[in-house]
Amino acid sequence: QVQLVESGGGSVQAGGSLRLSCGASGYTRSPYCMAWFRQAPGKEREGVADIRSDGLTSYVDSVKGRFTISQDNAKKTIYLEMNSLKPEDAGMYFCAASPFSGCRQQQYIAAWGQGTQVTVSS
């Protein structure tokens, strides 16, 4: 059973930056794909970025050029570097793991973290 623990959320002004981290444990075989999702109040949870075990990444259009997902396999940790933050980026950010490729869709997710809050003020 994969356990995921996020950290790094906080409050920033628009234009600012944050770096989220997600530590993974409890598995013998690394997840094939890991992702960051976010959910704002009253909105659907959306896949923001994912990264496969081979390093291939994908992003939702709204964050391309501003967010970067990366992984440190030795530390079993993934990161989400968020720059030029906008108020619409605010929400609860969740780390997720999947045995499938292209894991920015909830139906492919096998494990979730508890979430970390990101607040962006204008």
Side-chain angles (χ1 to χ4, degrees), residues 19-62:
R19 188 193 196 204
L20 306 183
S21 300
C22 172
S25 62
Y27 58 86
T28 55
R29 183 175 181 177
S30 298
Y32 185 69
C33 182
M34 294 189 69
W36 287 98
F37 285 73
R38 68 184 177 193
Q39 188 168 20
K43 293 191 175 181
E44 294 288 320
R45 188 174 297 191
E46 69 168 346
V48 174
D50 67 8
I51 185 165
R52 291 186 343 192
S53 56
D54 61 2
L56 189 68
T57 61
S58 74
Y59 299 89
V60 67
D61 285 347
S62 60

Coordinates of all heavy atoms in Angstrom, one line a residue, residues 19-62:
R19 N 7.0 25.6 -3.8 CA 7.4 24.3 -4.2 C 6.8 23.3 -3.3 O 7.0 23.3 -2.1 CB 9.0 24.2 -4.0 CG 9.5 22.9 -4.6 CD 11.0 22.8 -4.2 NE 11.7 21.8 -5.0 CZ 12.8 21.1 -4.6 NH1 13.2 21.3 -3.3 NH2 13.4 20.3 -5.4
L20 N 6.0 22.4 -3.9 CA 5.4 21.3 -3.2 C 6.2 20.1 -3.3 O 6.9 19.8 -4.3 CB 4.0 21.0 -3.7 CG 3.0 22.2 -3.9 CD1 1.7 21.7 -4.4 CD2 2.9 22.9 -2.5
S21 N 6.2 19.3 -2.2 CA 6.9 18.0 -2.2 C 5.9 16.9 -1.8 O 5.0 17.1 -1.1 CB 8.0 18.0 -1.1 OG 9.0 19.0 -1.4
C22 N 6.2 15.7 -2.3 CA 5.4 14.5 -1.9 C 6.3 13.3 -1.7 O 7.0 12.9 -2.7 CB 4.4 14.2 -3.0 SG 3.5 12.7 -2.8
G23 N 6.4 12.9 -0.5 CA 7.2 11.7 -0.2 C 6.3 10.4 -0.3 O 5.2 10.4 0.2
A24 N 6.9 9.4 -0.9 CA 6.2 8.1 -1.0 C 6.8 7.0 -0.2 O 8.1 7.0 -0.1 CB 6.1 7.8 -2.5
S25 N 6.0 6.1 0.3 CA 6.6 5.0 1.0 C 5.6 3.8 1.0 O 4.5 4.0 0.5 CB 6.8 5.4 2.5 OG 5.6 5.7 3.1
G26 N 6.0 2.7 1.5 CA 5.1 1.6 1.6 C 5.0 0.7 0.4 O 4.0 -0.1 0.3
Y27 N 5.9 0.8 -0.5 CA 5.8 0.0 -1.7 C 7.1 -0.7 -2.0 O 8.2 -0.2 -1.6 CB 5.3 0.8 -2.9 CG 6.2 2.0 -3.3 CD1 7.4 1.8 -4.1 CD2 6.0 3.2 -2.8 CE1 8.2 2.9 -4.4 CE2 6.8 4.3 -3.0 CZ 7.9 4.1 -3.8 OH 8.7 5.2 -4.1
T28 N 7.1 -1.8 -2.7 CA 8.3 -2.5 -3.1 C 8.6 -2.2 -4.6 O 9.7 -2.3 -5.0 CB 8.1 -4.0 -2.9 OG1 7.0 -4.5 -3.6 CG2 8.0 -4.3 -1.4
R29 N 7.6 -1.8 -5.3 CA 7.7 -1.5 -6.7 C 7.2 -0.1 -6.9 O 6.1 0.2 -6.6 CB 7.0 -2.5 -7.6 CG 7.2 -2.2 -9.1 CD 6.5 -3.3 -9.9 NE 6.7 -3.1 -11.4 CZ 6.2 -3.9 -12.3 NH1 5.6 -5.0 -11.9 NH2 6.4 -3.7 -13.6
S30 N 8.1 0.8 -7.5 CA 7.7 2.2 -7.7 C 6.5 2.3 -8.5 O 6.3 1.6 -9.5 CB 8.9 2.9 -8.3 OG 10.0 2.9 -7.5
P31 N 5.6 3.3 -8.2 CA 4.5 3.6 -9.1 C 4.9 3.9 -10.5 O 6.0 4.6 -10.6 CB 3.8 4.8 -8.4 CG 4.2 4.7 -7.0 CD 5.6 4.1 -7.0
Y32 N 4.2 3.6 -11.5 CA 4.6 3.9 -12.8 C 4.4 5.3 -13.1 O 5.2 5.9 -13.9 CB 3.7 3.1 -13.8 CG 4.1 3.2 -15.2 CD1 5.4 2.7 -15.7 CD2 3.4 3.9 -16.2 CE1 5.8 2.9 -17.0 CE2 3.8 4.1 -17.5 CZ 5.0 3.5 -17.9 OH 5.4 3.7 -19.2
C33 N 3.5 6.0 -12.5 CA 3.2 7.4 -12.7 C 2.8 8.0 -11.4 O 2.1 7.4 -10.6 CB 2.1 7.5 -13.8 SG 1.6 9.2 -14.3
M34 N 3.2 9.3 -11.3 CA 2.8 10.1 -10.1 C 2.3 11.4 -10.6 O 2.8 11.9 -11.6 CB 3.9 10.2 -9.1 CG 4.2 8.8 -8.4 SD 5.3 9.0 -7.0 CE 4.2 9.8 -5.8
A35 N 1.4 12.0 -9.9 CA 0.8 13.2 -10.4 C 0.4 14.2 -9.2 O 0.4 13.8 -8.1 CB -0.5 12.9 -11.1
W36 N 0.2 15.4 -9.6 CA -0.4 16.4 -8.7 C -1.8 16.8 -9.2 O -1.9 17.1 -10.4 CB 0.5 17.7 -8.7 CG 1.8 17.5 -7.9 CD1 3.0 17.2 -8.4 CD2 1.9 17.5 -6.5 NE1 3.9 17.1 -7.4 CE2 3.3 17.3 -6.2 CE3 1.1 17.8 -5.4 CZ2 3.8 17.3 -4.9 CZ3 1.6 17.8 -4.2 CH2 2.9 17.5 -3.9
F37 N -2.7 16.8 -8.3 CA -4.1 17.2 -8.6 C -4.3 18.5 -7.7 O -3.7 18.6 -6.7 CB -5.1 16.2 -8.3 CG -5.2 15.0 -9.3 CD1 -4.2 14.1 -9.3 CD2 -6.2 14.9 -10.1 CE1 -4.2 13.0 -10.2 CE2 -6.3 13.8 -11.0 CZ -5.3 12.9 -11.1
R38 N -5.3 19.2 -8.1 CA -5.8 20.3 -7.2 C -7.3 20.4 -7.3 O -7.9 20.0 -8.3 CB -5.1 21.7 -7.7 CG -5.6 22.2 -9.0 CD -4.9 23.5 -9.4 NE -5.2 24.0 -10.7 CZ -4.6 24.9 -11.3 NH1 -3.5 25.5 -10.8 NH2 -5.0 25.3 -12.5
Q39 N -7.8 20.9 -6.2 CA -9.2 21.1 -6.1 C -9.5 22.4 -5.4 O -9.1 22.6 -4.2 CB -9.9 19.9 -5.4 CG -11.4 20.0 -5.4 CD -12.0 18.6 -4.9 OE1 -11.3 17.8 -4.2 NE2 -13.2 18.4 -5.3
A40 N -10.2 23.3 -6.1 CA -10.7 24.5 -5.5 C -12.1 24.3 -4.9 O -12.8 23.4 -5.4 CB -10.7 25.7 -6.5
P41 N -12.5 25.1 -3.9 CA -13.9 25.0 -3.4 C -14.9 25.0 -4.5 O -14.9 25.9 -5.3 CB -14.0 26.1 -2.4 CG -12.6 26.4 -2.0 CD -11.8 26.2 -3.2
G42 N -15.8 24.1 -4.5 CA -16.9 24.0 -5.4 C -16.6 23.6 -6.8 O -17.4 23.6 -7.7
K43 N -15.3 23.2 -7.0 CA -14.9 22.7 -8.3 C -14.4 21.3 -8.3 O -14.1 20.7 -7.3 CB -13.7 23.6 -8.8 CG -14.1 25.1 -9.1 CD -13.0 25.8 -9.8 CE -13.5 27.2 -10.2 NZ -12.5 28.0 -10.9
E44 N -14.4 20.7 -9.5 CA -13.9 19.4 -9.7 C -12.4 19.3 -9.4 O -11.7 20.2 -9.7 CB -14.2 18.9 -11.1 CG -15.7 18.7 -11.4 CD -16.3 17.5 -10.7 OE1 -15.6 16.5 -10.6 OE2 -17.4 17.6 -10.2
R45 N -12.0 18.1 -8.9 CA -10.5 17.9 -8.8 C -9.9 17.7 -10.2 O -10.5 16.9 -11.0 CB -10.3 16.7 -7.9 CG -8.8 16.5 -7.6 CD -8.7 15.3 -6.6 NE -9.3 15.6 -5.3 CZ -9.2 14.8 -4.2 NH1 -8.4 13.7 -4.3 NH2 -9.8 15.1 -3.1
E46 N -8.8 18.4 -10.5 CA -8.2 18.3 -11.8 C -6.8 17.9 -11.7 O -6.1 18.3 -10.8 CB -8.4 19.6 -12.6 CG -7.5 20.8 -12.1 CD -7.5 22.0 -13.0 OE1 -7.8 21.8 -14.2 OE2 -7.0 23.0 -12.5
G47 N -6.3 17.1 -12.7 CA -4.9 16.7 -12.8 C -4.1 17.9 -13.3 O -4.4 18.4 -14.4
V48 N -3.1 18.3 -12.6 CA -2.3 19.5 -12.9 C -1.1 19.0 -13.7 O -0.7 19.6 -14.7 CB -1.9 20.3 -11.7 CG1 -0.9 21.4 -12.0 CG2 -3.1 20.8 -11.0
A49 N -0.4 18.0 -13.2 CA 0.8 17.6 -13.9 C 1.1 16.1 -13.5 O 0.7 15.7 -12.4 CB 2.0 18.4 -13.4
D50 N 1.7 15.4 -14.4 CA 2.1 14.0 -14.0 C 3.5 13.7 -14.5 O 4.0 14.4 -15.4 CB 1.1 13.0 -14.4 CG 1.0 12.8 -15.9 OD1 1.8 13.4 -16.7 OD2 0.1 12.1 -16.3
I51 N 4.1 12.7 -13.9 CA 5.5 12.3 -14.4 C 5.5 10.8 -14.3 O 5.2 10.2 -13.3 CB 6.6 13.0 -13.5 CG1 8.0 12.6 -14.0 CG2 6.4 12.6 -12.0 CD1 9.0 13.5 -13.4
R52 N 6.0 10.2 -15.4 CA 6.2 8.7 -15.4 C 7.5 8.3 -14.9 O 8.4 9.2 -14.7 CB 6.0 8.2 -16.9 CG 4.7 8.4 -17.5 CD 4.5 7.8 -18.8 NE 5.7 7.5 -19.6 CZ 5.7 7.1 -20.8 NH1 4.6 7.1 -21.5 NH2 6.9 6.9 -21.5
S53 N 7.7 7.1 -14.6 CA 8.9 6.6 -14.0 C 10.1 6.8 -15.0 O 11.2 6.9 -14.5 CB 8.8 5.1 -13.7 OG 8.4 4.4 -14.9
D54 N 9.8 7.0 -16.3 CA 10.9 7.2 -17.3 C 11.2 8.7 -17.4 O 12.0 9.1 -18.2 CB 10.6 6.6 -18.6 CG 9.3 7.2 -19.3 OD1 8.7 8.1 -18.6 OD2 9.0 6.7 -20.4
G55 N 10.5 9.6 -16.6 CA 10.7 11.0 -16.6 C 9.8 11.8 -17.5 O 9.8 13.0 -17.5
L56 N 9.0 11.1 -18.3 CA 8.1 11.9 -19.2 C 7.0 12.6 -18.4 O 6.5 12.0 -17.5 CB 7.4 10.9 -20.2 CG 6.6 11.5 -21.3 CD1 7.5 12.2 -22.3 CD2 5.8 10.4 -22.1
T57 N 6.8 13.8 -18.8 CA 5.9 14.7 -18.0 C 4.7 15.2 -18.9 O 4.9 15.3 -20.1 CB 6.6 15.9 -17.4 OG1 7.1 16.7 -18.5 CG2 7.7 15.4 -16.5
S58 N 3.6 15.6 -18.3 CA 2.6 16.3 -19.0 C 1.9 17.3 -18.0 O 2.0 17.1 -16.8 CB 1.6 15.3 -19.6 OG 0.7 14.7 -18.6
Y59 N 1.3 18.3 -18.6 CA 0.7 19.4 -17.8 C -0.7 19.8 -18.4 O -0.9 19.7 -19.6 CB 1.6 20.6 -17.8 CG 3.0 20.4 -17.3 CD1 4.0 19.9 -18.1 CD2 3.2 20.6 -15.9 CE1 5.3 19.7 -17.5 CE2 4.5 20.4 -15.4 CZ 5.5 20.0 -16.2 OH 6.8 19.8 -15.7
V60 N -1.5 20.2 -17.5 CA -2.7 20.8 -18.0 C -2.4 22.2 -18.6 O -1.4 22.8 -18.2 CB -3.7 21.0 -16.8 CG1 -3.2 22.0 -15.8 CG2 -5.1 21.4 -17.3
D61 N -3.1 22.6 -19.6 CA -2.7 23.8 -20.4 C -2.5 25.0 -19.5 O -1.7 25.9 -19.7 CB -3.7 24.1 -21.5 CG -3.6 23.1 -22.6 OD1 -2.6 22.4 -22.7 OD2 -4.6 23.1 -23.4
S62 N -3.4 25.2 -18.5 CA -3.4 26.4 -17.7 C -2.1 26.6 -16.9 O -1.9 27.7 -16.4 CB -4.6 26.4 -16.7 OG -4.5 25.3 -15.9

